[in-house]
Amino acid sequence: MLKEFRISLFVFFLFACGFLYEMTMKPRCFFSCTPAYKTMMRPENILRHKRSIVFLETTDRLEPSPLVSCAVESAARIYPERSIMFLMKGLDNNSTHLLLNATYRGFSLLSAIENVFFFPLDMETLLKETPLSLWYTQVNSSAEKSWIHISSDACRLAFIWKYGGIYMDTDIISIRPIPEDNFLAAQASKFSSNGVFGFHHHHSFIWDCMENFIEHYNGDIWGNQGPELMTRMLKLSCNLTDFQEVKDLRCPNLSFLHPQRFYPISYPEWKRYYEVWDVEPSFNDSYALHLWNYMNQEKRAVIRGSNTLAENLYRRYCPITYKTLIQGKERIDQREAKGTPPSK
Ligand SMILES: *[C@@H]1O[C@H](CO)[C@@H](O)[C@H](O)[C@H]1NC(C)=O
Ligand SMILES: *[C@@H]1O[C@H](CO)[C@@H](O)[C@H](O)[C@H]1NC(C)=O
Ligand SMILES: *[C@@H]1O[C@H](CO)[C@@H](O)[C@H](O)[C@H]1NC(C)=O
Ligand SMILES: *[C@@H]1O[C@H](CO)[C@@H](O)[C@H](O)[C@H]1NC(C)=O
Ligand SMILES: *[C@@H]1O[C@H](CO)[C@@H](O)[C@H](O)[C@H]1NC(C)=O
Ligand SMILES: *[C@@H]1O[C@H](CO)[C@@H](O)[C@H](O)[C@H]1NC(C)=O
Ligand SMILES: *[C@@H]1O[C@H](CO)[C@@H](O)[C@H](O)[C@H]1NC(C)=O
């Protein structure tokens, strides 16, 4: 009797320890955002409730770079009420094992954020019941030289058509909420980007874009299915004029947002993000900042203590990424140099 009592006391003690451990390690996530729970969620369950923010990875890459991690974390902070969806081609239907692998630190840190959800990107399923479906069955992806970009152009349209919300490139740092539901972003006067846009689900503009995508498909022309597509569709329904001051253009059914909203530093100037400024810009007229990663062929990165504009943006808008992938990286590098194993 006494032995049984001791055993049950011991079992109770074990449970209590486990509970306390969970509570102290992840106080906000108990019951709600453990990896197992999140990987069991189906996209439809999350999307039913709120308009989400979606990011795509159409390469097989799994571990987000610091910039990608910053884009996702900053969006999660700016839109705490919305789901942040990250669709990755390289993810199988079983991503839990990645969380336990120290190699995937960016993946783990983002997974631990309550409103961030990872899903496998299955193009065939995503494009189903859209005009792009037929095109997808006919195109020979290995013969397309820009397939990574073209597949991304297609997926973002299909996702926003089906579920609504905001699509963002993974090199955009969010700094304040976008107060528009249906919008395109001007990269320059009379020229739209497709790096960030938002629409209600089943918005006719996006359907028309998908039809035009297949009618005028030409994979050899850079951007033909991307910014060029958005721009020619916009011109069909809107009388584009030059922007006056920092005012957006109101078109039927959508707003065309001023270049200051996302591109306050234009692409010829992209290196300014990796420089030290005497007085940093306030970005008061911007909702998010596009860092032009495709211009960054020389792979400039944020270096701890460099005091560049990008470092200060990371520190402010994605502090977990900054701490883990920028500051933490050097600590691990130092430890590895000294030959001591990283602590848990
Ligand atoms: C992923 O797993 C879920 C649940 O086991 C299943 O319903 C779904 O069809 C799977 N998806 C893929 C793409 O394999
Ligand atoms: C999920 O991943 C684990 C670890 O890699 C593996 O053992 C398991 O078989 C996988 N399950 C499925 C359904 O792919
Ligand atoms: C972690 O992932 C890397 C890269 O995929 C792999 O080489 C390594 O074996 C994994 N480690 C564990 C413990 O699963
Ligand atoms: C697709 O393109 C590749 C590379 O150009 C070629 O080798 C292959 O035969 C093509 N496949 C089909 C089914 O046309
Ligand atoms: C605006 O949206 C409505 C409903 O989706 C559509 O019927 C109408 O043609 C659209 N107008 C323009 C100019 O695109
Ligand atoms: C477009 O705007 C210009 C300048 O405001 C104006 O002159 C022209 O009539 C407009 N065209 C249409 C079709 O509204
Ligand atoms: C930017 O906005 C902040 C807060 O609204 C304000 O304090 C600051 O003066 C503004 N800066 C500029 C350059 O407009």
Side-chain angles (χ1 to χ4, degrees):
M1 192 65 195
L2 187 63
K3 194 175 161 201
E4 272 163 23
F5 177 72
R6 272 196 197 146
I7 289 172
S8 42
L9 197 66
F10 179 63
V11 169
F12 172 78
F13 187 65
L14 271 185
F15 271 109
C17 284
F19 185 78
L20 280 175
Y21 176 79
E22 282 285 345
M23 291 302 276
T24 46
M25 297 312 284
K26 302 175 103 192
R28 294 167 66 216
C29 288
F30 198 59
F31 292 130
S32 71
C33 64
T34 58
Y37 169 83
K38 277 194 170 187
T39 50
M40 275 172 352
M41 295 281 294
R42 294 184 54 77
E44 290 75 11
N45 296 342
I46 298 165
L47 292 160
R48 198 181 301 143
H49 307 295
K50 287 158 201 149
R51 298 193 320 115
S52 55
I53 317 287
V54 64
F55 294 92
L56 299 174
E57 177 58 74
T58 50
T59 72
D60 285 324
R61 182 176 181 144
L62 279 173
E63 171 66 355
S65 70
L67 179 54
V68 173
S69 178
C70 190
V72 177
E73 184 192 342
S74 64
R77 287 173 181 276
I78 296 296
Y79 304 93
E81 305 300 319
R82 294 197 188 193
S83 303
I84 314 300
M85 311 282 287
F86 200 161
L87 273 52
M88 287 181 155
K89 178 166 167 281
L91 215 53
D92 54 21
N93 201 4
N94 175 16
S95 56
T96 335
H97 62 284
L98 293 180
L99 294 171
L100 309 171
N101 187 331
T103 312
Y104 297 98
R105 289 193 301 145
F107 189 87
S108 304
L109 85 83
L110 291 177
S111 300
I113 301 175
E114 204 165 358
N115 56 334
V116 174
F117 300 89
F118 285 90
F119 288 105
L121 172 59
D122 175 20
M123 229 178 134
E124 193 183 336
T125 312
L126 180 59
L127 302 191
K128 225 173 240 165
E129 290 158 24
T130 76
L132 300 172
S133 186
L134 184 63
W135 160 79
Y136 182 67
T137 58
Q138 290 167 352
V139 70
N140 179 357
S141 59
S142 46
E144 297 286 341
K145 54 180 195 253
S146 312
W147 181 244
I148 286 166
H149 295 100
I150 292 169
S151 56
S152 176
D153 290 338
C155 289
R156 65 188 78 170
L157 289 169
F159 186 96
I160 296 298
W161 162 257
K162 286 190 168 177
Y163 305 110
I166 298 173
Y167 165 81
M168 284 191 200
D169 278 348
T170 51
D171 56 350
I172 293 181
I173 299 178
S174 294
I175 64 173
R176 60 173 65 80
I178 303 167
E180 305 276 345
D181 282 351
N182 301 304
F183 71 87
L184 291 176
Q187 196 170 304
S189 175
K190 301 181 188 175
F191 190 72
S192 177
S193 85
N194 76 335
V196 50
F197 57 93
F199 285 91
H200 288 144
H201 93 290
H202 289 187
H203 193 287
S204 60
F205 181 82
I206 296 294
W207 184 268
D208 296 343
C209 283
M210 292 191 290
E211 289 193 324
N212 193 282
F213 183 113
I214 54 172
E215 276 163 30
H216 296 272
Y217 182 74
N218 185 342
D220 292 336
I221 304 175
W222 173 257
N224 186 52
Q225 286 65 237
E228 299 287 350
L229 169 68
M230 297 312 221
T231 304
R232 64 178 179 264
M233 294 309 292
L234 181 64
K235 282 180 175 163
L236 285 182
S237 64
C238 194
N239 186 8
L240 291 186
T241 55
D242 285 325
F243 287 100
Q244 308 295 319
E245 300 153 19
V246 190
K247 278 168 88 178
D248 306 321
L249 284 182
R250 303 288 157 195
C251 299
N253 291 351
L254 66 92
S255 298
F256 187 44
L257 304 187
H258 193 280
Q260 281 290 324
R261 305 298 181 205
F262 304 96
Y263 306 96
I265 295 179
S266 64
Y267 73 88
E269 296 272 283
W270 70 271
K271 283 182 189 162
R272 298 290 278 142
Y273 281 113
Y274 296 94
E275 289 172 0
V276 179
W277 293 54
D278 291 336
V279 180
E280 293 196 351
S282 72
F283 297 121
N284 269 15
D285 292 320
S286 304
Y287 305 137
L289 308 172
H290 187 271
L291 267 67
W292 302 107
N293 198 44
Y294 78 89
M295 298 291 290
N296 189 2
Q297 302 298 330
E298 56 200 86
K299 303 259 175 283
R300 289 194 183 208
V302 168
I303 294 158
R304 178 189 175 197
S306 58
N307 197 33
T308 55
L309 177 56
E311 184 187 24
N312 294 328
L313 291 171
Y314 278 31
R315 228 196 296 256
R316 182 157 173 202
Y317 297 107
C318 54
I320 302 173
T321 298
Y322 182 70
K323 207 170 146 216
T324 312
L325 300 185
I326 306 296
Q327 290 189 307
K329 182 178 181 298
E330 284 180 28
R331 260 186 250 122
I332 284 178
D333 289 348
Q334 280 163 10
R335 258 197 309 257
E336 279 167 0
K338 283 191 211 129
T340 42
S343 60
K344 292 245 165 69

